[in-house]
Amino acid sequence: MKVCTVAFLIYLDYKALQQREKWTNKTKTNALWENAHKRNAKRLLSLIVELEGLWVKLGQYLSTRADVLPEAYICLLKQLQDSLPPRPLEEVCQTIKRELGKSMNELFLDFVDVPLATASIAQVHRATLLNGREVVVKVQHEGIKTIILEDLKNAKSIVDWIAWAEPQYNFNPMMDEWCKESPKELDFNHEAENTRTVAKNLGCDTKCDDNTRADRVDVLIPEVIQSTEKVLISEFMDGIRINDIEALEEFGVDKQKVVEEITRAYAHQIYVDGFFNGDPHPGNFLVSKELPYRPILLDFGLTKKLSSSFKKALAKMFLASTEGDHVALLSAFAEMGLKLRLDIPEQAMEITSILFRSTTPAKESHETMKSLADQRAKNMKVIQDKMQLNQKEAKRFNPVDAFPGDIVIFSRVLNLLRGLSSTMNVRIVYQEIMRPFAESVLQGNISRGPMENDHWVYDTPAHSNVEAKLRQLLVELGNNNKILGVQVCAYKDGEVIIDTAAGVLGRYDPRPVQPDSLFPVFSATKGITAGMLHWLVDTGKLNLEEDVANIWPEFGSFGKHNIKVHHVLNHTSGLHNAAADLIENPLLISDWEECLNRVALSEPETEPGQEQLYHYLTFGVESRLATLTPDTEELKKLSGIRGRPDMPSTFQPELATALPVLFNMLNVRRAMIPAANGHFSARALARYYAALADDGVVPPPHSSYSKPALGSHPHIPKFPAQPSPKQQKGNRSKKIAAAFRSMRTSKYEKTPQDSKDQDIGSHSRNTSSDSNTCNASDNVLDEIVVNPSPQKDGAKIFSNPRIRDAFMGVGEYAHLVKPDGKFGLGFRRYYSQDGSLIGFGHSGMGGSTAFCDIKNRLSIAVTLNKMVFGAETGKIVHFICSELNIPVPADYLRFAETAPSDGKPLIN
């Protein structure tokens, strides 16, 4: 009743001020609000001091949240950290005598009557033992156990009522965790053992001055001398209270360094040890008065022990958040038992990003609160729209289905540390400080190379001696940390000779790469897009010499009316810099309509057909998709791209450093980007190019012992309803869309039982059935063959007997391409060392590639998830061609160990 009464008074005070503010001069409103904060902070402080127990804990927590609370509350509530009214000295002495079985004179030479600090559960006195050692004596308040347990019971009732009245505010999982952990603080024997454990974990008990070790944390923890249930005697360490800013400045303490070291200490406790102090409020920290001014960690009554699996899940959640990896984030949620009622991974990423956000100084608290409130309102609107809820229903909707108790104390620690840094007026970047510790948890069992992982190469029979030897090369590259996950597939004379997978799906995803895993292959996607355009030409739906504006009327503006289909395919349209805006705002690439608008509004920089400059983005999921990881050493080679005459002036090599994070994001993975967002397996790419090399004749999928069989995971896109007149781009574009729709819907007309069987196989592998992304569904060739028959090999995709000439821009198609250019019509031309044209293909940023050698009826595909920019891909291609005694394409020849490298990455 007391709590509700004070809360109601504070509420009415602020509501009245809101009304008064409307009629008050703006110059006076700040003073009015400041006075109201002071007035209500005093009410809250008086209530907490009167109630004691758990309410003091709540006040201590609030006193640290300088990042979200007004300064008036922080200034008054910080008294609760260690400056509560002390209990009578007589009570203290009686507790000591009863617990230790001796009188004060038998225990101490000196005992200071005035306590050093008084907090919610106990007070601390300075004393001197009979042997002359300086100590502190922590004595539990008489009767506090009964008060705490009663407070927990009352708090539980309040939380139950709130959950009933407002279901979206169901704090029961948090309350259950608090009820489980809080009583442990009442046993000082438990605290003594915790203190010894943390000191040992952090190396504080070794007296080691070697600070060069990466896992070394430079903090101090007092040694425990003696303990009972209600009395704890520890070593005395003379220090400055961490919230005594004046004293810290007088000693010349670097506040930034101190808070960073405290954060490192907690990162070590959480991620490395899985055992951490759950109560890091300012009252539990001192700073030593001697150089180098180390933080002193106190009070280990409330600690949390994490299981090994949960610790790894926390580390995975943190790292997924820092890298924008939605798939790893959802995987971490599942591993820790956090279940959501909605499939909105973007919001899950936002929430974890807020949890691990950098701290802000106290003076920015108002802006921080407003930003968080705005973000929450935005998220609730998304939920409301997705669930089709009215406003009242949306307010009662709780998006969390299951909440793991272990994360409660973890979240509390992060918030308390954030409040500490705000109080100290420093800015802490969690992602930088905590990352090494989180990575260390996962390195042992995730980033294991072939030397530590006997199953690094996926266990499938070798199709040939070449494949057996290739696997040895892959192991060598893996041991040298050049490969994280890789697939290599090759067809020779229409038969599979290589189908190898090795490594793991991601740096923090230990699942093995399998032959049917999908990889983001960037611009290697253009080869598939080009093949689809050629299919439209082959079936009479499109003409290579047709103006693009005839198909897409909006495209004809700003001098683009003369650009033809073949100009786009040959990279000679003059729109090589049309994607410049996307460099400034990369997230735009996930907005299909906006990308269309940007291209429509762009102006060509050269006349069509005059100059060939690579069009990197303007060229016309999740469960088995690998995660991209950059190779930091390879990134140094990016300077080789700058200034290349065949690259657009706006292409910035440094953008590649952001590509892994960008293309790991779920909204980008799901985006329709025909130039760069294909998700393929090497076996699907190799089969595709094997078909193109043979004039479109589809080769057999694979041998009978290839598991899983090619075509096991068909991707069935959901086409939108007929677009509104505003959305339609013209009569020709509707016909082309209808051609694809007709082709694919007829392909997938099945009996209900067939659909049921396929859905089971598909759902287990790819949960993104609504994705627009170009996913190679393994049987992609069967989907677009003339008179499609899924089980029939030898069917033809194309009827044009000179289709290969069209791909390469030779013969009767030579007039459609720039003479002596590197590109044909949609494909990169591949030449032998003597300069003769041997085939075509396409590579992508990061090293994935696919091509075919027409004369030797060879197709090779390599997919990678560690962005190595071509060196390893070149070695693999060179090895295969050399073993088969086939000329190595000139593009890859420079990556041979015997050949001098020009230092340029392999890009198209």
Side-chain angles (χ1 to χ4, degrees), residues 303-319:
T303 55
K304 182 65 185 176
K305 183 173 179 60
L306 304 175
S307 67
S308 177
S309 59
F310 196 88
K311 180 178 67 173
K312 291 173 182 175
L314 274 183
K316 190 174 181 178
M317 178 180 73
F318 172 81
L319 294 167

Side-chain angles (χ1 to χ4, degrees), residues 874-893:
K875 292 176 183 177
I876 292 169
V877 171
H878 186 277
F879 177 86
I880 295 173
C881 292
S882 299
E883 287 292 320
L884 295 173
N885 199 27
I886 290 174
V888 181
D891 276 38
Y892 301 100
L893 196 61

Side-chain angles (χ1 to χ4, degrees), residues 814-875:
H815 69 287
L816 301 179
V817 303
K818 185 173 177 59
D820 301 322
K822 294 182 178 180
F823 288 92
L825 291 174
F827 296 90
R828 174 68 180 255
R829 293 166 167 174
Y830 280 77
Y831 296 88
S832 64
Q833 194 173 9
D834 62 11
S836 58
L837 183 62
I838 59 174
F840 55 91
H842 218 293
S843 299
M845 175 78 78
S848 294
T849 193
F851 73 94
C852 61
D853 179 331
I854 297 173
K855 179 180 179 181
N856 293 289
R857 297 187 68 205
L858 171 70
S859 71
I860 298 175
V862 180
T863 55
L864 301 162
N865 58 352
K866 188 171 188 178
M867 299 182 66
V868 290
F869 302 105
E872 278 57 52
T873 305
K875 292 176 183 177

Side-chain angles (χ1 to χ4, degrees), residues 100-115:
L100 299 178
K102 294 181 180 180
S103 66
M104 299 293 287
N105 292 333
E106 292 176 299
L107 293 168
F108 308 106
L109 283 177
D110 181 48
F111 188 90
V112 180
D113 296 347
V114 179

